[in-house]
């Protein structure tokens, strides 16, 4: 789709379209596909609706996601490689899918949220120092984003 025809992520139907397109690519990905298909033996009829709820909760505070993303990924660590290359690939595919389908404020928000969560999940499940909280390593954009998350949390 070219830029002129892309619109922003406006609600649940857009999220479902994004999630379906993303996991279609992931299932066939040489680095990540087998983790879902062979290691976790993912039941897509369960996982896809869960991910619609997850992203709807993040973008619009509706969707009712209930789960434990850290535990879901931590259990994969002894079974397969879950390092930086895997998270970088996940994020590259996610970002490319968002950019292919959508453009706008929510498209930017979902990419930022995905990048932050990829860093946090990667760090936590591998026991590495959390780059997110090492202020000296943050870009000015990340500092502004984390400050706005904190402000939103305090306001809740
Ligand atoms: C190396 C990258 C990643 C791999 C290989 C991966 C793989 C998986 C797998 C196998 C599951 C379990 C699916 C099942 O039930 O069979 C899962 C669940 C999930 N993943 Fe990922 N994932 C990755 C990165 C991410 C990132 C960066 C996010 C968030 C931005 C994310 C969000 C989730 C959520 C919300 C669930 C459901 C958790 C729950 O059941 O509570 N994943 N992932």
């Amino acid at each position: 789709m070219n830029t002129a025809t892309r619109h922003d992520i406006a609600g649940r139907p857009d999220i479902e379209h994004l999630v379906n397109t993303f996991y279609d690519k992931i299932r066939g990905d040489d680095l990540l596909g087998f983790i879902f298909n062979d290691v976790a033996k993912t039941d897509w009829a369960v996982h896809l609706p869960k991910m619609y709820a997850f992203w709807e909760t993040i973008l619009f505070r509706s969707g009712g996601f209930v789960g434990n993303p850290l535990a879901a990924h931590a259990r994969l660590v002894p079974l397969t490689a879950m390092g930086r290359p895997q998270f970088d690939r996940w994020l590259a595919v996610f970002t490319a899918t968002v950019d292919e389908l959508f453009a706008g404020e929510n498209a930017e928000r979902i990419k930022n949220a995905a990048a932050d969560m990829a860093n946090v999940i990667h760090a936590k499940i591998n026991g590495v120092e959390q780059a997110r909280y090492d202020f000296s390593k943050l870009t000015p954009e990340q500092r502004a984003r984390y400050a706005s998350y904190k402000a939103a949390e305090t306001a809740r």
Side-chain angles (χ1 to χ4, degrees):
M1 248 188 255
N2 70 37
T3 317
T5 62
R6 284 184 298 157
H7 62 85
D8 202 3
I9 303 170
R12 176 74 172 219
D14 289 337
I15 288 177
E16 292 188 10
H17 184 39
L18 168 63
V19 168
N20 290 340
T21 310
F22 172 66
Y23 285 106
D24 275 352
K25 293 182 188 178
I26 288 291
R27 284 188 221 206
D29 187 271
D30 61 346
L31 201 59
L32 302 177
F34 86 97
I35 301 181
F36 289 89
N37 300 328
D38 304 315
V39 178
K41 297 190 170 50
T42 298
D43 181 348
W44 293 100
V46 174
H47 188 57
L48 293 176
K50 196 181 267 187
M51 297 311 294
Y52 306 150
F54 176 70
W55 288 116
E56 187 182 339
T57 303
I58 288 183
L59 272 194
F60 303 116
R61 304 232 173 129
S62 52
F65 172 76
V66 194
N68 187 341
L70 274 183
H73 299 96
R75 81 175 187 88
L76 298 171
V77 171
L79 306 176
T80 188
M82 287 291 284
R84 205 61 246 185
Q86 284 73 22
F87 279 91
D88 286 347
R89 174 70 63 85
W90 187 102
L91 197 55
V93 176
F94 190 84
T95 304
T97 309
V98 174
D99 287 341
E100 184 185 308
L101 300 176
F102 301 103
E105 203 179 304
N106 288 333
E108 293 308 306
R109 284 176 58 218
I110 206 168
K111 285 186 288 178
N112 288 337
D116 294 344
M117 269 181 293
N119 284 336
V120 171
I121 295 172
H122 169 261
K124 289 249 186 200
I125 67 176
N126 290 292
V128 301
E129 191 195 329
Q130 276 211 49
R132 173 175 174 169
Y133 298 121
D134 184 346
F135 227 75
S136 65
K137 289 187 189 150
L138 297 182
T139 64
E141 292 75 23
Q142 282 175 317
R143 285 179 202 208
R145 270 209 315 274
Y146 297 149
S148 75
Y149 294 158
K150 266 223 138 18
E153 262 167 33
T154 325
R156 233 180 277 160

